[in-house]
Amino acid sequence: MLRPLSTIGNYVLLMRRVFTKPQKGRLFWQQLFFEIDQLGLDSIGIVAFISMFMGAVVAIQTAYNIDSPLIPMSMVGFTTRQSVILEFSPTVISLILAGKVGSRIASQIGTMRVTEQIDALEIMGVNSANYLIFPKVVASVLINPVLIVFSMCLGIIGGWGAMMFSRLVSMHDYILGIRYDFEAYTIFYALTKTIFFAFIIATVSGYFGYQTQGGALEVGQASTKAVVISSIVIILFNLVLTQLLLG
Amino acid sequence: MIEARNINKYFGENHVLRDVSCTFHPGKTNLIIGQSGSGKTVLMKCLVGLFEVDNGKVLYDDRNFSAMNINQRKAIRQELGMLFQGAALFDSMNVQENVMFPLNMFTRKTLEEKFDRVNFVLKRVNLENQNKLMPSELSGGMKKRVAIARAIVMNPKYLYCDEPNSGLDPQTSSVIDLLIQELTYEYGITTIVNTHDMNSVLSIGDSIEFIHKGQIWWSGNKEEILHMGNQELNDFVFGTELTKRLRK
Ligand SMILES: Nc1ncnc2c1ncn2[C@@H]1O[C@H](COP(=O)(O)OP(=O)(O)O)[C@@H](O)[C@H]1O
Ligand SMILES: [Mg+2]
């Protein structure tokens, strides 16, 4: 019972060191652009691949499940759009990113810890928590929403592609569906979740990397922990945020 | 001058440093010697503040380091350099970026001035024109030399070296030892070296603290160390086949 509490306490203490003004502005900007490239642009491929297939599967499943002649086939487009925007892109893609980006952050910082690179920074008088973690948090919070919007578009296009090839629904109906009753608030809801999730991924993984003690084995364990814990926290916050924003 | 006064350090039940007091002088290579696990690294990390001492204090030229807050310590840290056991080069940066890092972080020098300084210290450690190599492309000895260059680039008053020869062959070891000694004399640095290597002890031991089970067991210099009657010290000094034969 005490372990989770002390972990949360240590996490908060670390975050207090992370969220301070960077010691050298120019170095911070350099780091930020580097991290945007490493954490964001590098994930475009996997995000695109998963989003297309996810959208296609949602559309096909919906199309097969509509067997009442009273329900218009444009429902397929509508359902695909809603599922992709409300849940699949923000949550599923964030979970994928927790795996890809989280393990990368934790193993990189963990390796720096066990090879004394973090001690070397501290010795010079650098706030290593701020120097290493802060740019990653800012980069994730900036770039993940872009990735998610990209994922939403590709998810809907994936559904469209599936309908075009399978001819389950006419293009006209599908397009009618995705334009039906669109509320901009759903995008706001999805991006708010995304920003929270991005923050969770970067800070939780940064924490587990930073706290690593030992050697290569522990770095591996830290990176697994980072992925597992950030995924769990994302799922919990998903429920809370959905209640708050849609409830 | 760095002074440790009655330092104690515990890890849980493990009493690692017991009432350690010693003084390290400027312009000298001050050695801390002892077996693996005797507490050398912990002592060094207490001196630089990577570990907090449980009681006792550390003084840098009469400034009480142990009582300082983070910002006051930062000022002292910019006066000290440290060479870590595994070199601890930043592995995402090449040689030049590693050495330039403290300059980028803490000075307002122009790019040209920084390049001049970096090339000067790299030349000083005999690593000219290797600026673009990554740490993964360097041999053990080269890594240590880059780490030394990074440690001295800010002109430190105090230099710490944790096992500078670990993992190096005897010849490369003595090159590194001599380099550390030359730099110490040249710039009047207060240098502290952790080692368990008798070669280093005999070649650069201006002042020696022998630490045994977390206590300072003996202090002296390289001339005295071979003629002491102390059992634990002799076990350490004559622990290798070579030194045993020499003794006979
Ligand atoms: N971070 C740590 N946590 C707990 N115990 C430690 C830690 N670092 C060192 N120790 C213990 O302190 C003792 C001295 O270690 P150390 O100073 O590394 O020895 P050495 O003289 O070989 O450098 C050992 O018993 C070691 O187990
Ligand atoms: Mg050691």
Side-chain angles (χ1 to χ4, degrees), chain B residues 9-22:
Chain B
K9 176 71 191 169
Y10 296 82
F11 286 109
E13 294 289 289
N14 189 2
H15 195 172
V16 178
L17 295 180
R18 298 161 184 264
D19 234 17
V20 171
S21 295
C22 41

Side-chain angles (χ1 to χ4, degrees), chain B residues 76-87:
Chain B
I76 298 243
R77 287 200 170 149
Q78 282 166 41
E79 297 176 2
L80 67 84
M82 184 158 177
L83 170 61
F84 286 87
Q85 196 160 346

Side-chain angles (χ1 to χ4, degrees), chain B residues 95-240:
Chain B
V95 167
Q96 171 178 305
E97 290 161 342
N98 260 286
V99 179
M100 202 184 275
F101 182 83
L103 298 174
N104 286 335
M105 202 77 197
F106 299 109
T107 69
R108 295 184 174 279
K109 289 187 191 326
T110 64
L111 198 59
E112 201 184 353
E113 288 169 330
K114 287 191 267 193
F115 273 124
D116 283 349
R117 180 68 189 154
V118 167
N119 289 330
F120 175 80
V121 288
L122 281 176
K123 187 171 171 197
R124 191 61 196 77
V125 299
N126 297 317
L127 275 177
E128 276 174 286
N129 306 322
Q130 318 272 332
N131 298 33
K132 298 290 175 199
L133 293 179
M134 296 304 286
S136 56
E137 298 171 301
L138 303 176
S139 69
M142 286 162 90
K143 277 186 193 155
K144 294 273 164 125
R145 281 187 278 158
V146 177
I148 292 175
R150 187 179 66 183
I152 61 168
V153 73
M154 296 280 281
N155 262 322
K157 280 165 79 175
Y158 318 102
L159 178 65
Y160 288 89
C161 308
D162 192 4
E163 308 265 1
N165 325 333
S166 72
L168 301 182
D169 60 273
Q171 259 181 317
T172 314
S173 292
S174 60
V175 170
I176 298 287
D177 282 343
L178 292 177
L179 179 61
I180 291 171
Q181 191 175 43
E182 280 169 27
L183 292 167
T184 303
Y185 293 168
E186 208 171 312
Y187 302 109
I189 306 173
T190 307
T191 301
I192 302 182
V193 181
N194 271 356
T195 183
H196 56 230
D197 180 356
M198 275 312 292
N199 274 320
S200 319
V201 174
L202 294 178
S203 72
I204 62 168
D206 295 339
S207 145
I208 301 170
E209 306 284 344
F210 173 61
I211 182 166
H212 182 69
K213 293 189 177 154
Q215 277 174 303
I216 299 288
W217 211 258
W218 177 85
S219 309
N221 62 38
K222 62 184 175 191
E223 272 75 39
E224 299 160 353
I225 196 165
L226 292 176
H227 314 291
M228 299 312 297
N230 189 304
Q231 182 64 42
E232 285 78 7
L233 182 63
N234 282 347
D235 286 350
F236 176 81
V237 171
F238 302 106
T240 64

Side-chain angles (χ1 to χ4, degrees), chain B residues 11 14 16 35-42 51:
Chain B
F11 286 109
N14 189 2
V16 178
Q35 293 174 334
S36 287
S38 54
K40 302 183 295 293
T41 301
V42 173
F51 290 147

